[in-house]
């Protein structure tokens, strides 16, 4: 692959507001095909792989890569602002509008196949609900079962999603530095079930930082998308255990 093609791809990615990848990384991420796809398809492929990559990979971004300034996370600094755009990735998300115990109860009810509506507990339909009360099977059992399965999945996903309220994130820059981010104003994409672990965000120049916490608002926080599959799976699988441990720690405290 010519260097000129890698330069074109990088220019296209940068024009979309994405972090600037190194030419060497672009070449390593190219699809192994001959002939190569058209330029728009190549850009889309490299964009997907960029958003799924770990920002701390030293070969990923063009040097010098933008990162948090020293002592940005210090609680002693009352207020400061970022002086340049900085790409970050999401390592954790917490809904501060719900207690840990409320979140535990929500996850356990989903595991039992239940959903709450107000104070009423609703038992979700099961896959064998196509059977009649007398033991006979309805003519529409396959279709009904398919509809029930889809309804169960949608209901569980809806119950597990928490996009309202105020959220706190753990953000990481390309040097591995971590800092908390807090929603100062509601950002639509930020929520449990809608924001992925490993998802990339661009903190724009002028973003406020107060007492070591990045204040997130729509004007200065751009969500770019993507996720790191292994991180997302580990976060989802371990969420209930982490919440229960936090509840136990609070009780002991």
């Amino acid at each position: 692959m010519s260097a000129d093609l890698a330069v074109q791809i990088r220019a296209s990615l940068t024009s979309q507001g994405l972090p600037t990848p190194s030419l060497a990384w672009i070449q390593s991420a190219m699809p192994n095909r001959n002939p190569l796809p058209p330029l728009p398809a190549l850009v889309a492929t490299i964009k997907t792989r960029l958003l799924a990559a770990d920002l701390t990979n030293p070969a990923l971004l063009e040097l010098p890569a933008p990162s948090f300034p020293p002592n940005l996370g210090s609680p002693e600094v009352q207020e400061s602002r970022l002086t340049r755009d900085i790409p970050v990735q999401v390592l954790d998300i917490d809904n501060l509008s719900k207690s840990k115990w409320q979140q535990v109860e929500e996850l356990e009810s989903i595991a039992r196949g239940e959903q709450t509506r107000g104070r009423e507990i609703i038992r979700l339909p099961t896959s064998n609900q196509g059977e009649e009360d007398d033991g006979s099977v309805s003519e529409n059992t396959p279709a009904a079962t398919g509809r029930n399965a889809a309804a169960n999945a949608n209901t569980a996903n809806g119950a597990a999603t928490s996009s309202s309220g105020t959220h706190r994130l753990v953000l990481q820059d390309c040097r591995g530095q971590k800092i908390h981010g807090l929603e100062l104003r509601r950002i639509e994409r930020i929520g449990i079930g809608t924001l992925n672990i490993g998802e990339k965000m661009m903190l724009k120049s002028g973003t406020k930082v107060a007492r070591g916490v990045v204040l997130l608002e729509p004007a200065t926080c751009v969500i770019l998308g993507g996720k790191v599959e292994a991180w997302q799976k580990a976060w989802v699988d371990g969420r209930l255990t982490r919440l229960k441990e936090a509840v136990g720690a609070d009780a002991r405290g």
Side-chain angles (χ1 to χ4, degrees):
M1 183 189 72
S2 68
D4 287 345
L5 182 56
V7 170
Q8 292 179 61
I9 293 172
R10 182 171 68 179
S12 179
L13 295 173
T14 303
S15 70
Q16 297 178 48
L18 297 168
T20 304
S22 68
L23 294 178
W25 182 85
I26 291 175
Q27 291 173 329
S28 70
M30 292 291 287
N32 188 19
R33 290 176 55 185
N34 192 13
L36 288 171
L39 181 60
L42 282 176
V43 171
T45 297
I46 300 302
K47 176 181 177 179
T48 299
R49 294 178 178 178
L50 175 62
L51 294 177
D54 181 356
L55 283 183
T56 62
N57 176 355
L60 180 64
L61 300 181
E62 184 73 10
L63 300 176
S67 60
F68 294 137
N71 301 322
L72 185 70
S74 172
E76 297 178 3
V77 179
Q78 184 172 351
E79 185 175 315
S80 62
R81 291 178 184 264
L82 300 182
T83 58
R84 61 188 304 190
D85 295 355
I86 298 177
V88 295
Q89 56 193 2
V90 177
L91 297 186
D92 194 15
I93 177 170
D94 187 20
N95 186 350
L96 300 181
S97 303
K98 289 186 177 181
S99 70
K100 296 291 192 298
W101 182 244
Q102 283 178 303
Q103 296 177 63
V104 167
E105 288 184 319
E106 183 180 70
L107 288 174
E108 288 183 335
S109 69
I110 293 171
R112 292 192 300 268
E114 297 173 351
Q115 181 190 14
T116 58
R117 183 172 60 194
R119 294 185 178 181
E120 180 184 4
I121 297 177
I122 306 165
R123 174 66 65 176
L124 301 179
T126 57
S127 60
N128 63 351
Q129 198 164 353
E131 296 184 3
E132 304 292 345
D133 291 340
D134 60 2
S136 62
V137 179
S138 168
E139 293 177 350
N140 298 324
T141 296
T145 301
R147 286 195 299 270
N148 289 339
N152 284 355
N154 290 336
T155 303
N157 286 336
T161 298
S162 176
S163 57
S164 61
T166 300
H167 297 87
R168 180 176 58 196
L169 313 179
V170 176
L171 305 173
Q172 184 182 48
D173 70 1
C174 64
R175 294 175 57 192
Q177 300 177 105
K178 300 175 186 176
I179 193 170
H180 281 106
L182 182 68
E183 275 185 298
L184 184 63
R185 292 185 176 86
R186 183 78 190 98
I187 299 176
E188 197 62 32
R189 281 286 310 283
I190 293 181
I192 295 173
T194 58
L195 190 71
N196 295 310
I197 304 304
E199 190 151 356
K200 307 303 183 288
M201 302 166 59
M202 186 68 75
L203 303 178
K204 306 294 287 183
S205 176
T207 297
K208 296 178 183 177
V209 183
R211 300 293 185 186
V213 176
V214 177
L215 303 181
L216 305 174
E217 45 190 330
T220 55
C221 174
V222 180
I223 298 178
L224 304 175
K227 65 178 172 181
V228 178
E229 289 285 356
W231 298 358
Q232 173 72 8
K233 184 179 186 305
W235 187 89
V236 171
D237 291 347
R239 184 179 172 218
L240 182 58
T241 299
R242 291 193 305 274
L243 287 169
K244 285 184 174 181
E245 290 174 348
V247 168
D250 289 345
R252 291 191 298 272

